[in-house]
Amino acid sequence: MGRDEAEQEPKKKESSRRWTESCSAMAAKCGVGCEAAVGSLTVSRKREYRVTNRIHEGKRPLYAIGFNFIDARYFDVFATVGGNRVTVYRCLEGGLISVLQAYVDDDKDESFYTLSWACNVDGTPFLVAGGSNGIIRVINAGNEKIDKSFVGHGDSINEIRTQALKPSLVVSASKDESVRLWNVHTGICILIFAGAGGHRNEVLSVDFHPSDIYRIASCGMDNTVKIWSMKEFWTYVEKSFTWTDLPSKFPTKYVQFPVFIASVHSNYVDCNRWLGDFILSKSVDNEIVLWEPKTKEQSPGEGAIDILQKYPVPECDIWFIKFSCDFHYNATAIGNREGKIFVWELQSSPPVLIARLSHAQCKSPIRQTAMSFDGSTILSCCEDGSIWRWDMSRAYRRAYCYIIQFKRAAGDLFLLICIYSQHLQSHIRINLCLWLDLCSLIWVLHTYFYDAC
């Protein structure tokens, strides 16, 4: 699958027809006055980033980049994939980047499209990568050797994601119109999400729900986002951890019907991420959409959608451009085909554009971004084989740390007030709230001026 040759979009007439149908469907499901909040492209200057490093890996495009959020010891470690090469780096102070290790696949024609960090049950860090030949490589980052190779997909692999609650589980999305759940500890393919209710074209993206361990969301070239449930099949997931026979003898199950199908976009949907119980998704329409799926437990597959917010991304009209978020989902960063990065705040309404990043020498399409744990560093991998590092300025980083501390402190105080002031009169509760907020503000300001972040 050549990405350069596959940038064409569906025919205009077909796209127009589907757009009309989609709009009609959304109009029927969303009432008047429920219009989505659209973000402004005026930069708020809440954060200030600057280029601190640039690395050129080679002539082959880089399609994926990602920090290790699985193990706190390696939050500053990231990896990239491009061609038949997987490279692991570490972000150092002062904008420096060091190469830790590299893996080159034996198949010279392999082209990796995606990667994800995972770990064994004993905590051994794994790097899972897949691409054009449909084979998933599980690389042991401890001994720099291939631990396992998963064979099962009938075509190229577009995305791999790790279950943060059980980081030995990974899910893969493929051109063969299926999504598969794997156990990297035992090498077992546990579930296959495909069939009568599955995708009808290439699956481009998939993601685990952050708190509901049973749910995943997938999207693809059939213009839909599908939500799947593993609850009914969870006994097989648990069985996969204790299986001692050959992985090929495991009773892999098919999940044929999703619990929800949404037509939010009128074109290819190439990236989706859960934001709590909401979903962030993007197509080739120059925007990321935040929406809420409203499922019907009695009627699987049916329901309504409520489009909440839209985050504009100019010149983002080619497919296979993926966005990323920091660990706490405070912000998201996405590149475009002109080499620019847009950083949006996720915890505000209407959406706030935190920063617009550009450099005179960065003109190649950015295929994926990676935000560090706290969002202070943003990485991007480009089609020309380059990696760009952007770091938040010291003053902004310090202030941002204390803003986050203040928000968390205020949230904790609010919960305490709700718990302990149920029997107080209303005017006493109001005075108590004001007094606690003032104390919280004084504490944060004191910490900001006298302590290091």
Short mmCIF file of all heavy atoms in Angstrom, two decimals, residues 23 77 90 112 141 189 225 256 261 287 298 326 445:
data_model
loop_
_atom_site.label_atom_id
_atom_site.label_comp_id
_atom_site.label_asym_id
_atom_site.label_seq_id
_atom_site.Cartn_x
_atom_site.Cartn_y
_atom_site.Cartn_z
N CYS A 23 -25.76 14.91 6.78
CA CYS A 23 -26.33 16.14 7.37
C CYS A 23 -27.79 15.94 7.74
O CYS A 23 -28.26 16.39 8.78
CB CYS A 23 -26.19 17.31 6.39
SG CYS A 23 -24.51 17.93 6.24
N VAL A 77 11.14 8.59 26.83
CA VAL A 77 11.57 7.74 25.71
C VAL A 77 10.47 7.71 24.65
O VAL A 77 9.29 7.58 24.97
CB VAL A 77 11.89 6.32 26.19
CG1 VAL A 77 12.19 5.39 25.02
CG2 VAL A 77 13.07 6.34 27.16
N ARG A 90 15.62 9.00 23.24
CA ARG A 90 15.32 9.60 24.54
C ARG A 90 15.46 11.11 24.44
O ARG A 90 16.43 11.62 23.87
CB ARG A 90 16.25 9.07 25.62
CG ARG A 90 16.17 9.85 26.94
CD ARG A 90 16.85 9.12 28.09
NE ARG A 90 15.90 8.29 28.82
CZ ARG A 90 16.16 7.06 29.26
NH1 ARG A 90 17.33 6.50 29.03
NH2 ARG A 90 15.25 6.38 29.94
N PHE A 112 6.74 0.10 7.86
CA PHE A 112 5.97 0.21 9.10
C PHE A 112 5.13 1.48 9.09
O PHE A 112 5.61 2.56 8.75
CB PHE A 112 6.90 0.22 10.31
CG PHE A 112 7.54 -1.11 10.61
CD1 PHE A 112 8.91 -1.28 10.51
CD2 PHE A 112 6.76 -2.19 11.00
CE1 PHE A 112 9.51 -2.50 10.78
CE2 PHE A 112 7.34 -3.43 11.28
CZ PHE A 112 8.72 -3.58 11.16
N ALA A 141 12.30 -4.28 24.19
CA ALA A 141 13.20 -3.13 24.28
C ALA A 141 14.29 -3.33 25.32
O ALA A 141 15.25 -2.56 25.36
CB ALA A 141 12.39 -1.87 24.60
N CYS A 189 -4.04 -14.44 19.55
CA CYS A 189 -5.08 -13.58 18.99
C CYS A 189 -6.39 -13.97 19.68
O CYS A 189 -6.92 -15.06 19.46
CB CYS A 189 -5.20 -13.77 17.48
SG CYS A 189 -6.52 -12.79 16.71
N VAL A 225 -17.57 5.37 12.45
CA VAL A 225 -16.90 5.05 13.72
C VAL A 225 -17.76 3.99 14.39
O VAL A 225 -18.97 4.18 14.54
CB VAL A 225 -16.76 6.28 14.62
CG1 VAL A 225 -16.08 5.89 15.94
CG2 VAL A 225 -15.97 7.38 13.93
N GLN A 256 -18.97 -9.95 15.78
CA GLN A 256 -19.48 -9.53 14.48
C GLN A 256 -20.27 -8.23 14.51
O GLN A 256 -20.37 -7.55 13.49
CB GLN A 256 -20.36 -10.63 13.88
CG GLN A 256 -19.61 -11.91 13.54
CD GLN A 256 -20.36 -12.75 12.54
OE1 GLN A 256 -20.77 -12.27 11.48
NE2 GLN A 256 -20.55 -14.01 12.87
N ILE A 261 -22.85 2.38 15.90
CA ILE A 261 -22.28 2.79 14.62
C ILE A 261 -22.62 4.26 14.40
O ILE A 261 -23.80 4.65 14.50
CB ILE A 261 -22.83 1.95 13.45
CG1 ILE A 261 -22.56 0.46 13.68
CG2 ILE A 261 -22.20 2.40 12.14
CD1 ILE A 261 -23.21 -0.44 12.66
N GLU A 287 -10.70 19.42 10.26
CA GLU A 287 -11.15 19.63 11.64
C GLU A 287 -11.16 18.33 12.42
O GLU A 287 -11.24 17.23 11.84
CB GLU A 287 -12.55 20.25 11.66
CG GLU A 287 -13.63 19.35 11.09
CD GLU A 287 -15.00 20.01 11.07
OE1 GLU A 287 -15.09 21.22 11.34
OE2 GLU A 287 -15.98 19.29 10.78
N GLN A 298 -30.90 -1.62 24.63
CA GLN A 298 -31.88 -2.58 24.15
C GLN A 298 -31.73 -2.85 22.65
O GLN A 298 -32.15 -3.89 22.15
CB GLN A 298 -33.32 -2.08 24.41
CG GLN A 298 -33.67 -1.90 25.88
CD GLN A 298 -33.15 -0.59 26.45
OE1 GLN A 298 -32.60 0.24 25.73
NE2 GLN A 298 -33.31 -0.42 27.76
N ASP A 326 -1.65 14.65 25.43
CA ASP A 326 -0.77 14.40 26.57
C ASP A 326 -1.43 13.34 27.46
O ASP A 326 -2.55 12.89 27.21
CB ASP A 326 -0.48 15.69 27.33
CG ASP A 326 -1.73 16.36 27.89
OD1 ASP A 326 -2.80 15.70 27.91
OD2 ASP A 326 -1.67 17.53 28.29
N LEU A 445 0.05 30.32 44.76
CA LEU A 445 0.93 31.46 44.52
C LEU A 445 2.20 31.36 45.37
O LEU A 445 3.30 31.66 44.90
CB LEU A 445 0.19 32.77 44.83
CG LEU A 445 -0.95 33.12 43.85
CD1 LEU A 445 -1.68 34.36 44.34
CD2 LEU A 445 -0.39 33.37 42.45
#
